[in-house]
Amino acid sequence: MLSAILTKTFYTFISLMVILNYALLLIGSMARIRAKVQGRVGQPVWQPYIDIIKNYGKRTAVTHGVMFYLGPVFRLAGGLGTYLFMPVVYGFVMFENFSFSGDLLLVMYFIFFGQLGMALGAGESGHPYSPLGVSRGLAQMTAFELPFALAVISIVAQYGTLSITEIVAAQQGGWQNWVAFTNPFAMIAGMLAFLGMSMQNPFSVVIAPQEIPIGPPTEMHSAFLGMLQTNRAIFNGAKMVLFMNLFWGGATHKYLLVAILIMVVKTFLIYLYVNIVGASFPRFKTEQSIRFFLGVPTIIGIIAVILQSI
Amino acid sequence: MEKDMERRLYADTGAPEGSPVVNPDPRTLGDSSNIQLFNEQLKLLNSGLTEEDRLNFCDTPPEVIKPFRGHWENFLNWARSESLWILGFGTGCGAIELRPLMTSRFDMYQYGIQPRPTPRQSSIFVIGGYASVKTMKRIVRSYEQMQGPKFVLGLGSCTINGGMYYDSYNTVNRLDHYIPVDVYIAGCMPRPEALLAGLMELKTIIKEGRGEGANKYAENFEWYKANQKRIIKDWNMPDYNW
Ligand code: SF4
């Protein structure tokens, strides 16, 4: 029993380390790619590491109360929860984390849990821009939640299961079995919702640095900010893995390293897609993005659900 | 002779050791005995605030925080120098020089330098030229909200000796009488290359462990406050804006 727990802990640790480092490098390299688009050299790929070390290494920090402490903690819990309840690489015990039969629902819940926790923390900071960012974030979140939920419902109806592992398993046997091709409407609705979820342009109004300094984390600093940055990496990684699992056939191979490589390539492409959109479009206002998500993506999502139910 | 002059300047102003010696700001030379900062318990009086506002603000002065020793501090200093976040607060004409640094021609991101919109998250404050008394109030507020270790870069002659506003009625002549400055960049106005050179100089200073402005501020808190209060007449903020 004890050894089973220890093994699980060890595996979880490895799996966390892999996603943390991979996502940090991914964030760094995407920043560099965006810089190239703008004709700049761009920051080093390892810059996110240095920023995190710097923030944890600050000598002072001020707190605004208990919720201010808990905000980043909740956020991190949201990131960890999203990541730890789904298989990262299909078919390997080491990377299956704590996935179980109803994990899809839990993961969907955790995606939003962090935001709500952060909203409380940001609210306590007392900075007027924080609640402003939070209200924008929550409004936008409610909007993209709709196409995303419809896409998920469609997939659940398609395979008759709420387990991410089973959804991935059902997609094995070649690319033609991926949800992206068997259920393209769900994929389109989901991938459009993903744009909002990743808060890059055109849906970056939540943190809009030129108008509401940086939105919810305006008052977050030092280790608080370091924690948020750590979570940003894990959370981003987790979301990409989730979308890879749901729409793009997951990652599997008989050799672990090759399977991880497949995961890396697929998630890299998913993130690249977000960045291409981000580099090409200017920022939407809150009401514009809400109107966007409630328009075409939602209709596509409804079509996806209807097609699965007939 | 020069040494003598230097000593006299220090004696006059009470400036912390190691401050660069240039024209002193005549306004910092006055008598500071009427400026009272602490009560008997060594708490800040916050005399600029109303009775009820006082409850909302902190009354502890900043503390000197000793750096770690050896390799750990060197490592942290390296990280601090490679991740410089500039507070996006343009205080004078020089702020315009920051824009070319962000865009493709000079691209400061490649040196780990980037702008940050809030003082809480920034580690370096670029004072872009002349600081009027009104701006000085905001500079002090923003500087104190930044979390240590923090660094200040005085850009342009105006920050060094008043520049072409040396005899103006409402600009300060010498920035480091009000907040500690790590690097000065001379010129009116210095080109972006000069600013970059200054930032590189700052990086070396931090790596060598000499970027202790925040501690210097805490050590000489009373001196800085007296200078600030002498010029900022409508002091309606807490004495220390953590
Ligand atoms: S040094 Fe020259 S350019 Fe800079 S603030 Fe002063 S007057 Fe303006």
Side-chain angles (χ1 to χ4, degrees):
Chain A
M1 182 61 191
L2 185 67
S3 78
I5 293 177
L6 283 181
T7 326
K8 192 73 199 168
T9 318
F10 177 64
Y11 285 168
T12 313
F13 179 72
I14 296 214
S15 151
L16 259 180
M17 282 300 124
V18 167
I19 201 71
L20 177 63
N21 289 295
Y22 167 56
L24 281 175
L25 289 175
L26 192 59
I27 290 175
S29 44
M30 284 302 163
R32 211 169 159 89
I33 291 174
R34 272 200 308 279
K36 300 284 179 214
V37 175
Q38 297 163 355
R40 295 188 286 113
V41 180
Q43 61 179 31
V45 171
W46 52 87
Q47 187 68 41
Y49 285 96
I50 308 181
D51 291 344
I52 289 185
I53 296 171
K54 194 259 320 245
N55 279 327
Y56 280 121
K58 284 256 181 197
R59 292 196 194 132
T60 53
V62 289
T63 167
H64 298 270
V66 180
M67 266 333 285
F68 189 75
Y69 269 107
L70 289 181
V73 176
F74 281 171
R75 195 93 176 93
L76 190 62
L80 289 178
T82 314
Y83 177 70
L84 286 180
F85 286 103
M86 64 185 163
V88 184
V89 179
Y90 172 65
F92 289 92
V93 196
M94 189 184 283
F95 285 95
E96 78 183 10
N97 291 341
F98 296 92
S99 53
F100 63 100
S101 52
D103 49 8
L104 185 51
L105 280 184
L106 195 63
V107 166
M108 278 182 76
Y109 164 75
F110 265 121
I111 289 183
F112 301 105
F113 174 79
Q115 303 233 16
L116 293 174
M118 184 65 202
L120 293 175
E124 179 143 47
S125 78
H127 198 291
Y129 286 131
S130 301
L132 210 63
V134 167
S135 67
R136 288 174 176 199
L138 292 182
Q140 198 167 289
M141 189 170 95
T142 325
F144 69 67
E145 171 76 340
L146 197 57
F148 177 55
L150 287 169
V152 169
I153 292 172
S154 171
I155 299 175
V156 170
Q158 183 182 0
Y159 295 119
T161 172
L162 272 170
S163 153
I164 300 179
T165 312
E166 281 174 29
I167 292 175
V168 177
Q171 296 180 61
Q172 297 315 314
W175 58 265
Q176 69 281 3
N177 293 344
W178 295 357
V179 169
F181 300 101
T182 56
N183 191 352
F185 285 103
M187 181 274 283
I188 295 173
M191 292 308 276
L192 286 175
F194 186 56
L195 289 178
M197 214 180 272
S198 49
M199 279 195 237
Q200 299 248 7
N201 278 347
F203 305 107
S204 57
V205 78
V206 182
I207 54 167
Q210 283 86 359
E211 31 172 334
I212 46 164
I214 195 155
T218 304
E219 278 289 302
M220 299 285 171
H221 55 272
S222 307
F224 299 111
L225 186 64
M227 209 153 158
L228 288 182
Q229 284 176 311
T230 316
N231 169 66
R232 180 166 164 242
I234 296 177
F235 193 41
N236 266 342
K239 279 187 293 191
M240 285 180 298
V241 170
L242 173 67
F243 277 73
M244 171 191 80
N245 282 337
L246 286 184
F247 303 114
W248 303 100
T252 178
H253 194 271
K254 65 178 186 299
Y255 300 114
L256 177 62
L257 280 181
V258 185
I260 291 183
L261 202 67
I262 294 175
M263 186 271 283
V264 166
V265 172
K266 283 186 181 176
T267 46
F268 182 88
L269 289 176
I270 293 177
Y271 203 35
L272 188 63
Y273 143 79
V274 174
N275 274 276
I276 289 176
V277 176
S280 330
F281 293 97
R283 183 182 295 151
F284 273 163
K285 290 187 206 162
T286 320
E287 64 268 23
Q288 282 173 320
S289 47
I290 292 178
R291 246 180 249 137
F292 171 83
F293 284 120
L294 296 187
V296 178
T298 305
I299 296 174
I300 297 179
I302 294 174
I303 296 177
V305 173
I306 294 176
L307 284 185
Q308 288 309 320
S309 51
I310 49 177
Chain B
M1 175 65 195
E2 248 172 46
K3 269 272 161 246
D4 241 27
M5 178 74 189
E6 213 170 278
R7 222 167 294 129
R8 214 156 351 106
L9 275 178
Y10 279 142
D12 283 351
T13 61
E17 283 285 326
S19 301
V21 177
V22 280
N23 272 352
D25 192 334
R27 278 170 297 198
T28 55
L29 296 176
D31 174 29
S32 61
S33 52
N34 57 342
I35 297 174
Q36 213 197 340
L37 215 52
F38 297 106
N39 61 14
E40 300 84 59
Q41 289 93 39
L42 287 181
K43 294 280 181 203
L44 291 172
L45 283 175
N46 282 336
S47 44
L49 296 174
T50 60
E51 209 43 70
E52 57 190 70
D53 272 354
R54 242 169 255 170
L55 302 173
N56 296 328
F57 289 95
C58 115
D59 55 2
T60 33
E63 284 165 14
V64 176
I65 299 175
K66 287 251 166 338
F68 296 106
R69 276 161 194 250
H71 294 308
W72 182 238
E73 185 66 18
N74 289 347
F75 171 66
L76 288 181
N77 277 338
W78 166 81
R80 282 165 193 149
S81 72
E82 293 304 321
S83 161
L84 288 173
W85 290 0
I86 301 183
L87 175 58
F89 175 17
T91 59
C93 344
I96 198 94
E97 296 298 333
L98 280 172
R99 274 68 185 177
L101 281 193
M102 290 175 206
T103 47
S104 54
R105 174 118 184 240
F106 296 104
D107 183 31
M108 62 185 179
Y109 292 85
Q110 57 182 311
Y111 307 111
I113 307 167
Q114 50 171 300
R116 206 73 189 175
T118 140
R120 288 278 186 235
Q121 301 174 357
S122 325
S123 52
I124 152 169
F125 197 174
V126 176
I127 308 294
Y130 62 83
S132 67
V133 172
K134 218 170 170 182
T135 318
M136 203 60 221
K137 196 171 166 187
R138 278 80 190 169
I139 291 179
V140 169
R141 260 205 121 142
S142 311
Y143 177 74
E144 289 178 350
Q145 284 185 30
M146 288 164 65
Q147 300 302 312
K150 47 192 169 184
F151 319 103
V152 177
L153 207 144
L155 176 67
S157 310
C158 283
T159 55
I160 304 175
N161 56 13
M164 67 189 232
Y165 298 105
Y166 75 99
D167 58 352
S168 161
Y169 66 98
N170 71 340
T171 60
V172 306
N173 277 8
R174 208 181 134 169
L175 184 62
D176 64 309
H177 278 184
Y178 306 96
I179 52 174
V181 178
D182 295 273
V183 177
Y184 275 120
I185 303 167
C188 177
M189 75 178 19
R191 289 186 52 78
E193 288 96 327
L195 184 47
L196 262 189
L199 286 165
M200 294 305 137
E201 172 71 26
L202 179 65
K203 280 192 175 193
T204 353
I205 290 181
I206 300 173
K207 280 189 191 130
E208 286 168 2
R210 293 188 284 129
E212 293 295 340
N215 279 344
K216 191 170 156 188
Y217 190 69
E219 252 166 48
N220 305 290
F221 187 64
E222 280 176 84
W223 184 77
Y224 282 113
K225 273 297 146 191
N227 287 350
Q228 291 164 4
K229 289 203 164 187
R230 244 185 239 125
I231 57 156
I232 302 173
K233 297 296 178 209
D234 57 335
W235 190 283
N236 53 359
M237 55 184 186
D239 287 335
Y240 181 57
N241 305 273
W242 52 272

